[in-house]
Amino acid sequence: SEGEFELAVRLYGPAIFGKSKVVGEEISVQEFPADLADEILSTELNNAPFVLYLGRRSATKNVPVLLKAFESFKRMYPRSDLKLVLVGPGHPPEGKLPEGVLDLGWVDELTKAALLKRCIALFQPSQNESFSRSMMEAWSQAKPVVVNGHCLATALAVEESGGGWLALSESDWLKILVRVAFTPPQILQRIGERGRQYVAVNCHWEQVMDRYEKALETTTAAVNIPSVRGRRLKAIHQLSPDLAYGDAISNQMLAIRDRLRHLGYHSEIFVINLQEPMRSEGRVFTLECLDEDQEGIIYHHSIGSEITAHALSYRGSKCFVYHNITPPDFFAPYRPGMAWLLEIGRKNLPRLAKHFPISAGDSTFNVNDLVEAGFTAPEVLPIIVNPDRWKIKEDEELLKQLQDGKTNILFVGRISPNKCQDQVVEAFAHYRKLDGDSRLILAGAGKDFDPYFQRVKRRIFELGLTKDVILTGHITDSQLMSYYRSAHLFWSFSEHEGFCVPLIEAMWFDVPVLAFKSSAVSETVAEAGVLFDDKKELTEVAALAKLLISDQSIRERVLVAQRQRRKEFAPEAIWPKLDRIIERMEESHLGCGI
């Protein structure tokens, strides 16, 4: 079930996505005419509406909770003729049964089918189900179901199908009993029909077997090589100033390189600065690296460097990929020299546009910069956020420290004025008034010589939060994974992002996102997560954070949306966009006469 899949993700992390398939399970219920059901059931059940519990009669299945709720219902509505029928193996419930409860114990398949045919709804209070055949059997008869909202296997199916309701407490069970008792049969039928459609898709034998065959398939899919007549490029290399461990642009270059090799191209990453942990992944650029006759290049631009001139002068097929340049105003108060470099980088964009007939940005926000600078028909090539990156073991000791019962609020990103970590600290001070047992984790490198980093540290001290805010500095992927896995909320106040990979990474770890609506952030988050557009009322923003952390129903709705959004940045969603750029590079190379 989808619920088991989500449980596996929570236990083992996002790497489970690449090696897991939800196959479902086959369900069939004996079909027969309604009048035959009347003959099988007792007169008592034929003459009154009843809701059905189908399963082991046990406290572990939460049957006592259902009995208490029904007893309360009977006290509130003593004239109601609604009955509760218990069916299944196990010991009878202890004590005297509430009025209107029939305990049939174990019944044969024919009687079970008749009960499903005649009940008005199925109530399944168990919190520990891996699939719930009884729920699917009820849906196959177009009966609405009520399930425990804390049970992933049943709750996710009900949410996806709309074939019933979720109950989180005894009062919820009572409210839904009232709703079912007084809802017209045609409306109950309509809700149950949604469940029947869900069963038709997920529990039909041939479709289940098809999913098994796909899951067990050993043949590799055909390579999707761009279909360009006279394909001439033998290699497509990438150029960038740096290749750094844990850097989003670097991870994108690695993913693109692997895709290019998969498509049959020779592909390397050439950089000026090659960090030690990445020595095996890239090569230091030299003038002898490139052959214009049979090779193309993809140049990644986020700040100018000496490699930019070589990309400009390259006469072969080439593509410009823009990862945005932070506006200099953010750095001017802290590092004027950096602000000057950023200003020059932005002013150079129109000059670069003349030399790159093919271009892309990793968001529409970035593409708009390219259009304004004069680039022709730039495309959107989003950053790949691959859950396979997390096929590593988390830092167990760190994870244990973080799972001490405190609320963990996380932001991931280098300490930088455009990312506004000082404002996150300010907001956290307000949040602490709502939840004193909480900590803020600012995961990202900061330099002691950087005036903005010193500002963040000073603000933490001034607000008396030195014991409650963690400045991680540079961390490994294993440590980052521990921070994500233990986080209760991802909280961003960043005012300028060209994409913001951590937003999607948080989604892969089922961490709800609360972010300031700015730059490319709103585009990246889209309809998933929660955005705020006013930083003046930090008390209100803190209250919103508390709601996302503590209100289970709101939190779950956000996570459901995020689970859909994150798929749009998985490799299989991005490859067609990259393949289109490669096709354009092939066409450009054929047209330039080299």
Side-chain angles (χ1 to χ4, degrees):
S1 68
E2 290 285 352
E4 285 187 300
F5 179 70
E6 287 300 328
L7 177 60
V9 171
R10 294 180 188 185
L11 289 172
Y12 304 112
I16 206 75
F17 283 91
K19 52 185 178 182
S20 301
K21 302 290 181 186
V22 178
V23 294
E25 189 170 336
E26 187 270 341
I27 289 295
S28 59
V29 177
Q30 187 169 353
E31 290 287 349
F32 50 82
D35 56 354
L36 180 57
D38 293 341
E39 292 179 17
I40 294 170
L41 299 181
S42 66
T43 304
E44 185 178 16
L45 289 178
N46 279 328
N47 294 335
F50 66 92
V51 296
L52 180 66
Y53 167 77
L54 187 58
R56 192 167 71 253
R57 297 169 298 156
S58 167
T60 61
K61 295 287 188 179
N62 271 350
V63 173
V65 173
L66 180 57
L67 289 173
K68 288 180 181 178
F70 191 79
E71 186 174 22
S72 299
F73 170 80
K74 278 297 187 181
R75 283 199 300 268
M76 291 174 62
Y77 302 96
R79 294 184 180 181
S80 171
D81 56 355
L82 181 69
K83 297 184 183 300
L84 167 62
V85 177
L86 307 179
V87 172
H91 299 290
E94 295 182 1
K96 183 181 178 181
L97 291 176
E99 181 184 350
V101 177
L102 297 179
D103 181 14
L104 302 185
W106 183 88
V107 299
D108 58 36
E109 286 296 312
L110 198 60
T111 304
K112 183 182 81 170
L115 289 164
L116 287 167
K117 191 80 172 178
R118 280 299 184 206
C119 72
I120 63 172
L122 177 84
F123 278 63
Q124 172 56 279
S126 175
Q127 187 174 335
N128 300 304
E129 296 294 317
S130 59
F131 180 74
S132 185
R133 293 186 66 86
S134 63
M135 178 176 71
M136 301 299 175
E137 288 170 343
W139 273 343
S140 72
Q141 298 298 311
K143 305 298 182 180
V145 301
V146 188
V147 302
N148 194 315
H150 296 295
C151 177
L152 283 172
T154 55
L156 291 182
V158 169
E159 285 184 329
E160 183 177 343
S161 67
W165 301 275
L166 306 182
L168 297 170
S169 64
E170 186 177 321
S171 63
D172 287 344
W173 291 103
L174 173 58
K175 291 174 185 176
I176 299 173
L177 275 167
V178 174
R179 174 182 291 184
V180 169
F182 298 105
T183 296
Q186 62 269 26
I187 295 179
L188 292 177
Q189 172 78 18
R190 194 181 309 151
I191 295 170
E193 190 59 43
R194 297 174 192 157
R196 194 207 293 266
Q197 293 170 10
Y198 181 90
V199 169
V201 172
N202 292 281
C203 302
H204 188 277
W205 183 243
E206 290 184 2
Q207 292 168 326
V208 171
M209 287 306 298
D210 285 345
R211 289 191 286 271
Y212 265 109
E213 289 174 0
K214 289 178 181 177
L216 298 172
E217 201 171 56
T218 56
T219 57
T220 56
V223 175
N224 181 25
I225 297 177
S227 56
V228 178
R229 184 181 300 172
R231 183 181 183 209
R232 291 177 58 187
L233 289 176
K234 292 185 177 179
I236 299 178
H237 302 302
Q238 296 177 84
L239 274 62
S240 179
D242 307 286
L243 187 62
Y245 178 81
D247 172 64
I249 298 175
S250 297
N251 288 337
Q252 178 80 336
M253 289 192 292
L254 293 171
I256 291 174
R257 179 203 62 188
D258 292 345
R259 176 64 175 177
L260 288 168
R261 290 177 177 178
H262 177 72
L263 294 176
Y265 293 99
H266 176 54
S267 184
E268 301 290 348
I269 299 172
F270 296 112
V271 298
I272 301 298
N273 303 306
L274 184 59
Q275 287 192 1
E276 185 59 41
M278 307 299 286
R279 287 285 173 185
S280 62
E281 302 289 356
R283 294 170 57 183
V284 175
F285 177 80
T286 64
L287 292 175
E288 294 76 29
C289 287
L290 303 176
D291 176 2
E292 293 176 342
D293 288 342
Q294 295 181 316
E295 297 178 352
I297 64 168
I298 297 174
Y299 167 58
H300 295 266
H301 187 75
S302 59
I303 192 168
S305 78
E306 58 189 277
I307 206 169
T308 306
H310 298 292
L312 278 170
S313 62
Y314 187 76
R315 297 187 305 114
S317 179
K318 58 188 177 181
C319 174
F320 181 91
V321 178
Y322 179 56
H323 298 280
N324 206 280
I325 298 173
T326 305
D329 292 349
F330 285 105
F331 283 85
Y334 305 101
R335 296 171 62 187
M338 173 61 76
W340 179 80
L341 287 174
L342 294 170
E343 185 175 5
I344 295 299
R346 280 186 163 263
K347 286 182 177 179
N348 279 340
L349 280 176
R351 182 170 67 93
L352 292 167
K354 300 175 184 178
H355 296 271
F356 288 91
I358 303 170
S359 61
D362 43 34
S363 64
T364 303
F365 178 78
N366 289 346
V367 164
N368 290 339
D369 276 0
L370 295 180
V371 171
E372 188 176 336
F375 284 84
T376 304
E379 301 191 23
V380 177
L381 180 66
I383 289 184
I384 296 160
V385 188
N386 191 347
D388 283 352
R389 175 190 174 189
W390 306 104
K391 286 182 178 178
I392 57 175
K393 195 164 185 62
E394 70 275 3
D395 186 319
E396 291 185 353
E397 184 57 35
L398 176 59
L399 185 61
K400 184 178 178 181
Q401 293 172 14
L402 295 168
Q403 292 176 328
D404 57 359
K406 287 189 174 184
T407 301
N408 294 313
I409 296 176
L410 176 67
F411 176 73
V412 177
R414 70 185 185 281
I415 307 297
S416 176
N418 61 297
K419 296 184 182 292
C420 305
Q421 281 95 340
D422 59 322
Q423 296 176 10
V424 182
V425 172
E426 295 268 1
F428 178 66
H430 289 270
Y431 179 86
R432 287 274 300 173
K433 298 173 184 176
L434 305 173
D435 180 5
D437 201 17
S438 57
R439 66 167 66 91
L440 172 64
I441 302 162
L442 299 177
K447 305 291 186 181
D448 281 331
F449 66 78
D450 180 1
Y452 179 72
F453 182 55
Q454 292 301 324
R455 172 183 169 80
V456 174
K457 290 173 65 176
R458 185 169 62 252
R459 200 70 192 108
I460 293 170
F461 175 78
E462 291 169 350
L463 293 168
L465 297 172
T466 52
K467 294 182 179 180
D468 306 306
V469 178
I470 298 175
L471 293 169
T472 69
H474 186 75
I475 55 176
T476 65
D477 280 349
S478 293
Q479 291 170 318
L480 180 58
M481 185 173 180
S482 295
Y483 286 122
Y484 273 128
R485 291 197 63 179
S486 59
H488 296 88
L489 179 73
F490 187 93
W491 204 1
S492 170
F493 275 70
S494 181
E495 293 186 0
H496 187 85
E497 298 285 349
F499 182 88
C500 196
V501 166
L503 293 170
I504 305 301
E505 288 180 338
M507 294 182 189
W508 280 114
F509 283 91
D510 255 358
V511 181
V513 169
L514 177 60
F516 180 62
K517 188 177 182 180
S518 71
S519 52
V521 170
S522 55
E523 177 186 347
T524 302
V525 173
E527 300 302 316
V530 176
L531 301 176
F532 60 96
D533 55 12
D534 187 357
K535 293 184 177 182
K536 296 177 182 178
E537 298 296 334
L538 292 181
T539 300
E540 294 180 6
V541 180
L544 186 56
K546 183 70 167 65
L547 199 64
L548 270 173
I549 291 169
S550 59
D551 190 306
Q552 188 63 34
S553 61
I554 293 176
R555 181 184 181 88
E556 191 57 38
R557 285 202 298 272
V558 169
L559 293 181
V560 168
Q562 290 184 178
R563 288 169 193 148
Q564 292 302 314
R565 180 60 176 164
R566 66 196 183 189
K567 295 177 185 177
E568 298 179 33
F569 302 100
E572 56 270 21
I574 307 302
W575 293 148
K577 302 177 189 296
L578 176 63
D579 292 350
R580 168 59 187 155
I581 290 173
I582 295 169
E583 186 176 339
R584 289 182 64 189
M585 291 181 68
E586 284 280 2
E587 293 169 348
S588 172
H589 189 75
L590 289 169
C592 69
I594 292 179

